């Protein structure tokens, strides 16, 4: 039941007393509350009566778990491919190209790497960086990092602007969707990292978002027991990207700064570096990255 | 007399002029007060607790404060611009600082209606 102090994103309320006849308004509120409580009681009573009359439908009565011929089935990356990766052979990034829901994607899965965030001009000559891509967005008005951000235990930004989050604490990366994550404080306590971005997939279900433009898309995903980065080859809608990740059976995914200007690169197993985008002449000072470094 | 909002914890005390607070944003247990003249303060407190303090400490001055959704409280005196389709709310101290905030279209529609009513 919604508490007196609860509020959702579509509501506003004036906090202080608006006029001197506040007591009168209080009594109106009380009447409304009593009416609502009475209605709730009637509805509950009706539900209880209905339950006693109608026999419960059991799980065995339901047949809608069978898949229809033309119903879409979840896409599956070849299990054999996934299981055959030898994750004991040092630090590397496994790269696989695939097509999901008609969209061309590349999945970058780092193994035996150290994840961390970085703010500022990233050293492109650093041989320890195997995978690097921009992480949190910046505010248009003042160039500061958009959404809560913790860098090596130091909070640089606090506001909740997006529901998706990534926390890196003691070398462990967690991707999730929540308005209020205790991992923000844990990141401060443990000298870790935290940032926020659009939620794309929440517990296996695609999340719809507002941006309606087409762009090159990137996502940080919790997929099977791994963290990976998925990149679109083409300019696509954010919501189409989310549904493709859902089809890919990603558990949770958040957006990473995309577009053809977003900086980043990957080093393949032969040591060859490929940049995700054209080089930008100017990058704001708060441009920030998620890095996966060699151990 | 100038009204103040006082936030007192076991170790510190923060006293802010009610009319100096432009807006308050939160991320979980942390809330940031953005003040006129560009300075800000962070407190370890949820927005709901701050809303309660405003209600308790700022009687009629508190009516200027509006909670918008889960993570924003604004001082309506500083509203400069509302654009519902762009989900944009700009707060300005009228001097050198302006701040762009986003809110849902429905919340901004209600806010605009509220401000419209005060004109008539």
């Amino acid at each position: 039941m919604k508490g007196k102090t609860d509020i959702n994103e579509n509501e506003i309320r004036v906090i202080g007393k608006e006029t001197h006849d506040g007591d009168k308004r209080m009594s109106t509120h009380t009447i409304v509350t009593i009416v609502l409580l009475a209605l709730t009681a009637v509805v509950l009573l009706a539900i209880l009566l209905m339950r006693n009359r109608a026999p419960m439908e059991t799980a065995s009565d339901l047949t809608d778990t069978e898949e229809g011929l033309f119903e879409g089935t979840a896409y599956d990356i070849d299990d054999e491919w996934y299981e055959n990766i030898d994750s004991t052979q040092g630090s590397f990034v496994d790269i696989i190209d695939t097509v999901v829901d008609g969209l061309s994607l590349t999945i970058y899965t780092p193994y035996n790497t150290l994840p961390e965030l970085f703010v500022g001009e990233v050293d492109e000559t650093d041989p320890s960086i195997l995978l690097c891509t921009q992480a949190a967005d910046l505010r248009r008005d003042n160039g500061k990092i958009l959404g809560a951000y913790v860098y090596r235990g130091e909070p640089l930004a606090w506001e909740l602007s997006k529901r998706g989050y990534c926390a890196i604490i003691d070398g462990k990366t967690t991707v999730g969707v929540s308005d209020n994550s205790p991992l923000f404080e844990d990141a401060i306590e443990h000298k870790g990292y935290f940032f926020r971005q659009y939620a794309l997939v929440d517990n296996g279900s695609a999340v719809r978002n507002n941006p309606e433009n087409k762009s090159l898309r990137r996502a940080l995903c919790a997929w099977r027991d791994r963290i990976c980065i998925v990149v679109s080859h083409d300019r696509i809608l954010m919501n189409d990207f989310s549904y493709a990740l859902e089809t890919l059976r990603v558990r949770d995914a958040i957006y990473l700064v995309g577009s053809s200007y977003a900086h980043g690169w990957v080093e393949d197993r032969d040591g060859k570096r490929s940049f995700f985008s054209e080089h930008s002449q100017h990058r704001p000072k708060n441009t920030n990255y998620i890095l996966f470094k060699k151990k | 007399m100038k009204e103040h909002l006082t936030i007192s914890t076991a170790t510190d005390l923060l006293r802010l002029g009610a009319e100096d607070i432009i807006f308050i944003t939160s991320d979980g247990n942390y809330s940031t007060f953005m003040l006129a003249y560009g300075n800000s303060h962070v407190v370890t407190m949820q927005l709901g607790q701050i809303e309660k303090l405003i209600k308790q400490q700022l009687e009629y001055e508190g009516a200027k404060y509006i909670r918008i959704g889960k993570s924003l409280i604004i001082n309506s005196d500083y509203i400069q611009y509302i654009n519902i389709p762009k989900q944009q709310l700009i707060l300005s101290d009228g001097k050198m600082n302006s701040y762009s905030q986003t809110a849902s279209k429905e919340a901004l529609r209600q806010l605009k209606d509220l401000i419209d009513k005060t004109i008539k």
Side-chain angles (χ1 to χ4, degrees):
Chain A
M1 191 174 156
K2 193 176 170 180
K4 191 181 169 186
T5 56
D6 287 349
I7 188 167
N8 69 41
E9 294 300 346
N10 291 326
E11 290 175 329
I12 70 168
R13 67 169 164 248
V14 176
I15 296 174
K17 287 186 179 177
E18 280 183 274
T19 58
H20 291 262
D21 60 355
D23 292 342
K24 193 179 165 188
R25 287 191 299 110
M26 277 284 283
S27 63
T28 312
H29 285 163
T30 312
I31 291 164
V32 170
T33 309
I34 289 166
V35 169
L36 283 175
L37 281 172
L39 280 172
T40 311
V42 168
V43 169
L44 282 173
L45 195 65
I47 290 169
L48 278 173
L49 285 171
M50 297 259 291
R51 274 192 170 186
N52 288 338
R53 279 180 194 172
M56 289 290 285
E57 198 171 31
T58 62
S60 59
D61 296 325
L62 302 172
T63 55
D64 61 358
T65 51
E66 290 174 15
E67 284 181 354
L69 179 64
F70 296 103
E71 282 171 6
T73 52
Y75 179 90
D76 219 351
I77 292 276
D78 187 359
D79 278 336
E80 206 177 321
W81 158 80
Y82 186 77
E83 284 157 12
N84 283 344
I85 290 173
D86 181 2
S87 59
T88 60
Q89 51 180 276
S91 302
F92 66 95
V93 178
D94 191 77
I95 304 170
I96 182 167
D97 290 318
T98 186
V99 176
V100 181
D101 293 350
L103 304 176
S104 299
L105 306 174
T106 300
I107 304 167
Y108 300 93
T109 311
Y111 287 85
N112 305 315
T113 53
L114 286 171
E116 64 177 56
L117 299 186
F118 183 84
V119 181
E121 193 64 37
V122 66
D123 182 5
E124 290 176 15
T125 63
D126 183 345
S128 70
I129 302 173
L130 291 179
L131 181 58
C132 163
T133 182
Q134 278 183 235
D137 210 343
L138 304 182
R139 289 175 56 143
R140 273 178 204 274
D141 55 347
N142 58 16
K144 289 182 180 170
I145 293 172
L146 183 61
Y149 199 96
V150 179
Y151 182 59
R152 292 178 185 162
E154 187 190 341
L156 300 185
W158 290 265
E159 64 186 333
L160 169 70
S161 63
K162 308 281 190 300
R163 295 190 66 233
Y165 68 84
C166 166
I168 302 172
I169 298 165
D170 297 332
K172 188 188 170 202
T173 308
T174 308
V175 177
V177 179
S178 169
D179 282 343
N180 185 3
S181 170
L183 293 178
F184 178 81
E185 288 159 282
D186 288 354
I188 295 170
E189 247 176 62
H190 293 88
K191 305 276 178 212
Y193 306 89
F194 185 97
F195 73 92
R196 281 199 177 271
Q197 260 290 6
Y198 285 105
L200 299 180
V201 179
D202 181 9
N203 208 16
S205 299
V207 176
R208 287 194 68 82
N209 287 290
N210 286 330
E212 289 172 350
N213 61 312
K214 287 190 173 181
S215 184
L216 294 175
R217 304 294 180 185
R218 296 180 202 171
L220 181 66
C221 310
W223 188 55
R224 305 201 183 194
D225 58 345
R226 291 271 158 201
I227 292 294
C228 65
I229 287 174
V230 179
V231 176
S232 75
H233 292 195
D234 305 303
R235 289 178 170 78
I236 58 173
L237 296 170
M238 185 183 273
N239 287 332
D240 289 347
F241 189 45
S242 297
Y243 285 114
L245 295 174
E246 181 192 76
T247 307
L248 199 53
R249 292 182 174 165
V250 159
R251 192 185 68 236
D252 292 291
I254 63 169
Y255 193 59
L256 296 171
V257 173
S259 88
S260 55
Y261 296 99
H263 191 38
W265 71 83
V266 62
E267 187 175 301
D268 65 19
R269 291 205 218 191
D270 299 325
K272 187 186 160 205
R273 277 196 174 184
S274 308
F275 286 85
F276 291 133
S277 59
E278 305 149 20
H279 288 258
S280 168
Q281 290 298 314
H282 168 74
R283 289 188 200 103
K285 68 171 186 174
N286 284 320
T287 303
N288 60 93
Y289 302 86
I290 182 165
L291 313 175
F292 293 87
K293 289 179 153 183
K294 284 178 191 167
K295 274 188 178 171
Chain B
M1 191 183 150
K2 192 177 177 181
E3 284 194 84
H4 285 87
L5 180 69
T6 307
I7 295 166
S8 179
T9 67
T11 53
D12 56 5
L13 184 144
L14 179 65
R15 194 161 173 264
L16 304 168
E19 61 198 42
D20 297 332
I21 300 167
I22 300 176
F23 66 91
I24 309 154
T25 55
S26 82
D27 186 1
N29 293 332
Y30 294 86
S31 296
T32 305
F33 286 82
M34 190 55 70
L35 307 174
Y37 312 111
N39 44 342
S40 62
H41 284 281
V42 179
V43 296
T44 313
M45 203 174 255
Q46 293 177 341
L47 207 59
Q49 295 170 285
I50 290 170
E51 183 181 346
K52 217 178 207 177
L53 290 179
I54 292 172
K55 203 178 275 184
Q56 287 166 355
Q57 296 180 21
L58 309 176
E59 207 175 349
Y60 297 109
E61 189 74 17
K64 291 178 179 175
Y65 288 89
I66 300 168
R67 173 90 183 248
I68 301 175
K70 289 178 182 296
S71 53
L72 181 65
I73 292 174
I74 63 160
N75 182 339
S76 57
D77 279 350
Y78 291 100
I79 295 173
Q80 185 183 57
Y81 181 67
I82 298 170
N83 187 315
I84 296 169
K86 288 183 180 170
Q87 296 181 246
Q88 189 181 30
L89 166 65
I90 295 179
L91 302 157
S92 171
D93 63 7
K95 295 180 179 71
M96 53 194 292
N97 298 303
S98 68
Y99 304 90
S100 180
Q101 296 290 319
T102 53
S104 75
K105 289 177 186 174
E106 180 51 36
L108 288 179
R109 192 170 290 120
Q110 290 176 38
L111 182 65
K112 184 177 173 297
D113 288 347
L114 194 71
I115 305 297
D116 280 341
K117 275 180 198 165
T118 62
I119 302 168
K120 289 156 195 169

